[in-house]
């Protein structure tokens, strides 16, 4: 199709600011370039007007394009179908001269800037001597060059200086190290002295407490210690009499010893009666306080919520009345108010018990109105307290007490777990009977065993009880669901300590049971009679810090401990509940 070139040098395209001479040249060039029948020569002459009256001829060399004209855009006439292409310049860009160096590299494309001050800190000036100007040289200093030294001498001097610095630094470091060791030694000696004083004080406190417990016994353990001390004294006196006296004098001394022992037993019995009365009063108050406690439960955030029910409020009211009734040495008018309050409380329920309480209250009020001495009213007041306590323990009058009573209101429930004691001939719950590991039948109850111990052996189980409590407490801290330690009874632990471990530490042979504790032999496994060791408290702390027992102890010591574990397995294999925890090989051996 025919193509028409649209020249960019047409008259409408030229700006009025272009000179008229250049416009003529461009029109001429446009006629030459875009005429389809014209063949342009290699050189043409163009007349250019430089001044209003002056013209100049300029030779223009035509450069033939060596490449195909690129398409720079255009448009097409839809009617005629003629395409108009945008014209391009024939000017070839200049090539930069080759400099012989690579210009496109990291060094030429990367700029490093560095700021450096050229001005001095303080403005100064220098004045030189010249013709017509005199500058004084009084303050001038004459500097003469020193001795020249080589690089080897320079490095030698630096090495000597470094050695001097190292010597002083090592001296300073050694002095600090020695001071630190001295301070650690001082702190260690002070700690050891403090621990020694602490142990001595604990021992003195223990002796003082034992003495106070013997002088003023209040609990069962106190009377056990008292009877044990009595038996020790009796054995010493018998040995002394047998060693020093013979014949009739020996028999008379033994009779005198027997009478003195009887007097001491009677004195202990009187103390026991007083202690039982006081302990019974405390037990009653504790029982009533337990009934009056509000309901408690923990929420998801860890806070404890308490709630009072009508039953707990009723129990708390009865507790306050019982405390007031059981008080002594109160004024007469206050006592009358307490009795009237008690009467109004029990009259809410009509029965034989409440009628008897009301009659006793009326009798006491009548006797007080007649100014009867208080010492003569003690028996009457005790009867009122006893009957009122019986009133409180009745679930019909105090529903909250039904959950705490040992004897259930329904007698049919007693037949489920009741055993017969052949010693006292009483039917008691199974919790009142000790069951050691070597027993096959249920024997005597706790009370009969206690009476037999006081009459014959007079042993003190307090030390073994403390060891068992410490063992269970330490095992509970592991939180690994240990079970065997809570199945072992006091008699079983006593057998282990006396017959297997010999009542002494496995390391130091310390025989003070107050300082001995039982810990795990291998702390990675659950405690059991075949995974335990008897040590002092300090030795136990050091033993639990060990990581490898084979490296810490000698082979002979480990073998001796293993032998004790085998004896413990043989003894405790008699208990069915503990047999399930034995290893499978040991179970098969026991079965065979």
């Amino acid at each position: 199709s025919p193509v028409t070139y649209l020249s960019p040098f047409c008259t409408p395209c030229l700006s009025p600011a272009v000179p008229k001479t250049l416009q003529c040249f461009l029109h001429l060039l446009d006629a030459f370039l875009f005429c389809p029948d014209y063949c342009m020569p290699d050189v043409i002459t163009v007349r250019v007007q430089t001044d209003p009256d002056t013209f100049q001829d300029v030779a223009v060399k035509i450069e033939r394009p060596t490449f195909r004209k690129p398409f720079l855009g255009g448009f097409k006439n839809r009617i005629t179908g003629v395409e108009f292409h945008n014209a391009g310049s024939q000017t070839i860009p200049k090539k930069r001269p080759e400099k012989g160096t690579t210009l496109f590299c990291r060094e030429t494309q990367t700029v490093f800037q560095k700021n450096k001050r050229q001005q001095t800190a303080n403005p100064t000036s220098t004045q030189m001597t010249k013709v017509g100007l005199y500058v004084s040289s009084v303050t001038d200093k004459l500097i003469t060059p020193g001795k020249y030294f080589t690089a080897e001498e320079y490095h030698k001097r630096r090495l000597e200086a470094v050695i001097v610095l190292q010597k002083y630094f090592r001296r300073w470091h050694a002095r600090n190290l020695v001071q630190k060791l001295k301070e650690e030694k001082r702190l260690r000696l002070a700690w050891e002295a403090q621990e020694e004083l602490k142990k001595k004080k604990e021992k003195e406190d223990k002796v003082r407490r034992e003495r106070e417990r013997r002088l003023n016994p209040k609990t069962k353990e106190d009377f056990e210690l008292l009877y044990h001390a009595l038996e020790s004294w009796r054995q010493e006196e018998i040995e002394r009499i047998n060693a020093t006296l013979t014949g009739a004098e020996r028999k008379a001394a033994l009779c005198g010893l027997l009478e003195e022992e009887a007097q001491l037993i009677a004195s202990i019995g009187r103390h026991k009666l007083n202690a039982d009365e006081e302990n019974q009063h405390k037990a009653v108050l504790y029982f009533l306080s337990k009934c009056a406690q509000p309901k408690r439960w923990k929420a998801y955030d860890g806070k404890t919520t308490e709630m009072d029910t009508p039953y707990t409020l009723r129990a708390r009211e009865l507790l306050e009345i019982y405390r007031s009734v059981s008080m002594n040495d109160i004024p007469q008018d206050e006592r009358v108010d307490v009795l009237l309050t008690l009467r109004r409380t029990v009259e809410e329920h009509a029965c034989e018990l409440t009628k008897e309480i009301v009659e006793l209250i009326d009798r006491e009020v009548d006797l007080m109105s007649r100014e009867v001495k208080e010492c003569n009213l003690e028996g009457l007041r005790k009867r009122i307290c006893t009957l009122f306590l019986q009133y409180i323990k009745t679930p019909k009058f105090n529903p909250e007490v039904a959950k705490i009573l040992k004897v259930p209101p329904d007698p049919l429930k007693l037949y489920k777990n009741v055993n017969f004691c052949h010693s006292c001939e009483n039917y008691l719950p199974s919790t009142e009977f000790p069951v050691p590991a070597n027993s096959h039948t249920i024997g005597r109850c706790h009370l009969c065993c206690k009476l037999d111990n006081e009459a014959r052996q007079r042993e003190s189980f307090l030390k073994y009880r403390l060891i068992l409590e410490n063992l269970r407490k330490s095992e509970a801290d592991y939180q690994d669901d240990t079970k065997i330690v809570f199945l072992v009874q006091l008699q079983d632990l006593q057998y282990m300590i006396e017959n297997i471990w010999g009542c002494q530490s496995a390391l130091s042979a310390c025989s003070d049971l107050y300082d001995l504790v039982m810990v795990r032999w291998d702390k990675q496994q659950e405690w059991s009679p075949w995974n335990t060791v008897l040590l002092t408290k300090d030795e136990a702390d050091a033993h639990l810090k060990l990581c490898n027992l084979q490296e810490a102890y000698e082979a002979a010591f480990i073998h001796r401990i293993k032998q004790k574990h085998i004896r413990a397995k043989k003894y405790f294999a008699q208990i069915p509940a503990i047999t399930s925890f034995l290893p499978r090989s040991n179970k098969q051996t026991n079965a065979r």
Side-chain angles (χ1 to χ4, degrees):
S1 61
V3 177
T4 302
Y5 290 93
L6 180 63
S7 174
F9 307 122
C10 60
T11 303
C13 298
L14 294 178
S15 174
V18 180
K20 187 178 294 186
T21 305
L22 184 57
Q23 291 181 12
C24 296
F25 167 73
L26 293 177
H27 282 298
L28 180 61
L29 184 60
D30 185 22
F32 290 159
L33 290 177
F34 298 99
C35 181
D37 298 333
Y38 178 76
C39 183
M40 183 176 292
D42 295 336
V43 179
I44 61 175
T45 302
V46 179
R47 178 169 292 181
V48 180
Q49 183 179 0
T50 57
D51 290 329
D53 299 331
T54 306
F55 296 89
Q56 183 181 358
D57 295 335
V58 178
V60 179
K61 184 179 180 181
I62 303 300
E63 293 183 358
R64 305 292 180 180
T66 58
F67 57 91
R68 186 177 178 180
K69 186 184 87 63
F71 178 73
L72 302 179
F75 60 93
K76 180 180 179 181
N77 194 337
R78 294 182 179 180
I79 299 175
T80 60
V82 179
E83 295 182 357
F84 297 91
H85 292 180
N86 295 337
S89 174
Q90 294 180 343
T91 305
I92 300 175
K94 290 185 178 181
K95 293 185 178 180
R96 295 183 180 181
E98 296 290 339
K99 298 182 180 179
T101 58
T102 304
L103 300 181
F104 301 98
C105 62
R106 178 178 297 177
E107 287 75 14
T108 58
Q109 297 179 4
T110 306
V111 178
F112 294 96
Q113 296 182 355
K114 185 176 181 181
N115 297 330
K116 184 176 180 181
R117 293 184 177 182
Q118 300 294 334
Q119 185 67 21
T120 58
N122 294 325
T124 57
S125 60
T126 303
Q127 183 65 53
M128 303 299 296
T129 303
K130 66 177 182 177
V131 178
L133 177 63
Y134 171 76
V135 179
S136 177
S137 60
V138 176
T139 58
D140 293 350
K141 292 188 297 182
L142 182 62
I143 299 176
T144 57
K147 181 181 178 182
Y148 176 77
F149 54 90
T150 61
E152 295 180 358
E153 295 175 350
Y154 171 75
H155 291 296
K156 183 179 179 181
R157 287 177 59 185
R158 289 182 63 86
L159 179 61
E160 293 176 354
V162 168
I163 293 173
V164 172
L165 291 175
Q166 287 182 351
K167 290 192 296 183
Y168 280 102
F169 174 77
R170 289 173 181 174
R171 178 175 178 272
W172 171 81
H173 182 67
R175 184 172 67 249
N176 291 346
L177 183 61
V178 171
Q179 292 293 338
K180 184 179 179 180
L181 293 176
K182 287 182 178 180
E183 183 67 18
E184 291 179 356
K185 180 182 178 182
R186 184 186 66 81
L187 294 176
R188 177 68 181 183
L189 294 176
W191 179 80
E192 290 180 355
Q194 185 178 1
E195 289 294 322
E196 191 69 24
L197 291 175
K198 183 179 179 181
K199 291 180 180 179
K200 185 177 179 180
K201 185 178 180 181
E202 288 179 355
K203 192 172 183 180
E204 292 177 354
D205 293 342
K206 181 182 66 176
V207 173
R208 179 177 54 80
R209 286 195 302 268
E210 286 187 1
R211 184 179 179 183
E212 292 178 356
R213 295 175 72 174
R214 291 177 182 177
L215 292 176
N216 299 313
K218 295 181 180 180
T219 61
K220 296 180 181 179
E221 291 81 6
D222 297 345
F223 286 101
E224 283 184 2
L225 291 175
L226 202 56
Y227 279 110
H228 181 68
L230 176 62
E231 181 64 20
S232 301
W233 170 80
R234 190 181 71 86
Q235 293 292 341
E236 292 176 0
E237 290 296 322
I238 289 175
E239 292 177 1
R240 183 183 61 81
I241 291 173
N242 293 333
T244 57
L245 302 176
T246 57
E249 295 180 354
R250 175 178 171 275
K251 291 182 180 180
L254 290 176
C255 290
L257 177 62
L258 183 60
E259 292 179 359
E260 191 173 357
E261 181 185 1
Q263 293 177 2
L264 292 175
I265 292 175
S267 177
I268 294 174
R270 289 191 295 270
H271 281 286
K272 193 173 183 180
L273 291 176
N274 297 332
D276 289 343
E277 184 178 357
E278 183 179 356
N279 292 335
Q280 183 180 4
H281 182 67
K282 291 182 179 179
V284 169
L285 292 179
Y286 174 76
F287 174 80
L288 298 180
S289 300
K290 193 173 181 180
C291 295
Q293 287 181 354
K295 306 296 181 181
R296 293 186 178 90
W297 64 88
K298 282 189 176 181
Y300 66 94
D301 55 353
K303 295 182 179 179
T304 303
T305 305
E306 296 183 356
M307 182 185 69
D308 284 320
T309 62
Y311 295 156
T312 57
L313 295 176
R314 172 69 175 177
R316 195 174 305 165
E317 180 184 359
L318 296 176
L319 170 62
E320 296 299 330
I321 296 175
Y322 181 83
R323 283 180 177 174
S324 302
V325 171
S326 60
M327 290 177 61
N328 298 323
D329 301 332
I330 61 175
Q332 185 174 355
D333 53 349
E334 294 183 5
R335 178 70 182 180
V336 172
D337 294 339
V338 170
L339 292 176
L340 293 177
T341 304
L342 175 60
R343 181 173 181 174
R344 287 194 299 268
T345 302
V346 299
E347 282 180 347
E348 296 176 359
H349 304 85
C351 63
E352 295 295 332
L353 179 60
T354 56
K355 290 180 181 179
E356 188 175 357
I357 294 175
V358 171
E359 291 178 0
L360 294 177
I361 292 173
D362 295 338
R363 188 183 305 174
E364 183 180 355
V365 173
D366 183 45
L367 292 176
M368 284 192 300
S369 64
R370 298 181 184 183
E371 298 182 356
V372 178
K373 294 182 180 180
E374 292 187 359
C375 59
N376 297 328
L377 298 176
E378 290 182 359
L380 181 58
R381 291 177 177 178
K382 288 182 179 179
R383 286 186 63 189
I384 294 175
C385 289
T386 304
L387 293 177
F388 183 58
L389 181 60
Q390 184 179 354
Y391 173 87
I392 295 175
K393 289 185 177 180
T394 305
K396 180 180 179 182
F397 310 139
N398 185 13
E400 191 68 20
V401 80
K403 303 177 181 179
I404 306 176
L405 285 176
K406 291 184 179 179
V407 180
D410 187 6
L412 296 178
K413 296 182 179 179
L414 293 174
Y415 299 116
K416 295 182 180 179
N417 197 10
V418 174
N419 298 303
F420 180 73
C421 178
H422 296 277
S423 179
C424 62
E425 298 182 354
N426 291 327
Y427 288 94
L428 300 171
S430 59
T431 56
E432 298 295 330
F433 292 87
V435 184
N438 55 356
S439 64
H440 299 280
T441 59
I442 297 178
R444 297 174 298 181
C445 62
H446 284 292
L447 182 59
C448 295
C449 294
K450 176 174 169 294
L451 292 176
D452 182 71
N453 181 49
E454 293 177 356
R456 297 181 182 181
Q457 299 177 354
R458 295 173 182 172
E459 294 181 357
S460 177
F461 301 100
L462 177 61
K463 300 177 182 179
Y464 305 106
R465 191 176 291 108
L466 291 176
I467 294 176
L468 183 59
E469 290 177 359
N470 293 332
L471 176 61
R472 290 178 175 176
K473 183 178 180 181
S474 61
E475 287 299 313
D477 294 338
Y478 281 101
Q479 297 181 355
D480 55 355
D481 196 19
T482 179
K483 299 177 181 178
I484 304 179
V485 67
F486 298 101
L487 298 176
V488 175
Q489 301 298 320
L490 184 62
Q491 293 81 1
D492 305 329
L493 185 70
Q494 181 183 3
Y495 177 84
M496 289 178 56
I497 294 175
E498 292 181 354
N499 298 285
I500 297 178
W501 297 98
C503 294
Q504 62 182 7
S505 172
L507 282 175
S508 60
C510 177
S511 58
D512 189 2
L513 292 180
Y514 283 108
D515 294 336
L516 297 181
V517 293
M518 268 194 171
V519 294
R520 297 183 179 184
W521 170 251
D522 185 4
K523 63 181 180 180
Q524 303 298 332
Q525 300 180 4
E526 180 184 359
W527 183 93
S528 61
W530 49 90
N531 184 34
T532 184
V533 61
L534 186 64
L535 301 170
T536 61
K537 296 179 181 178
D538 297 336
E539 293 170 354
D541 294 338
H543 172 78
L544 294 177
K545 294 179 182 179
L546 298 177
C547 298
N548 192 342
L549 300 178
Q550 306 298 331
E551 297 178 358
Y553 298 118
E554 296 181 355
F557 177 78
I558 297 176
H559 179 72
R560 188 165 65 251
I561 297 298
K562 294 298 181 182
Q563 292 296 326
K564 295 181 183 297
H565 290 170
I566 293 174
R567 292 176 59 190
K569 284 183 182 179
K570 184 177 180 181
Y571 176 78
F572 283 94
Q574 307 173 29
I575 306 178
I578 298 182
T579 306
S580 60
F581 295 97
L582 287 171
R584 185 175 182 181
S585 59
N586 295 330
K587 294 180 184 178
Q588 295 175 357
T589 303
N590 295 332
R592 288 195 295 268

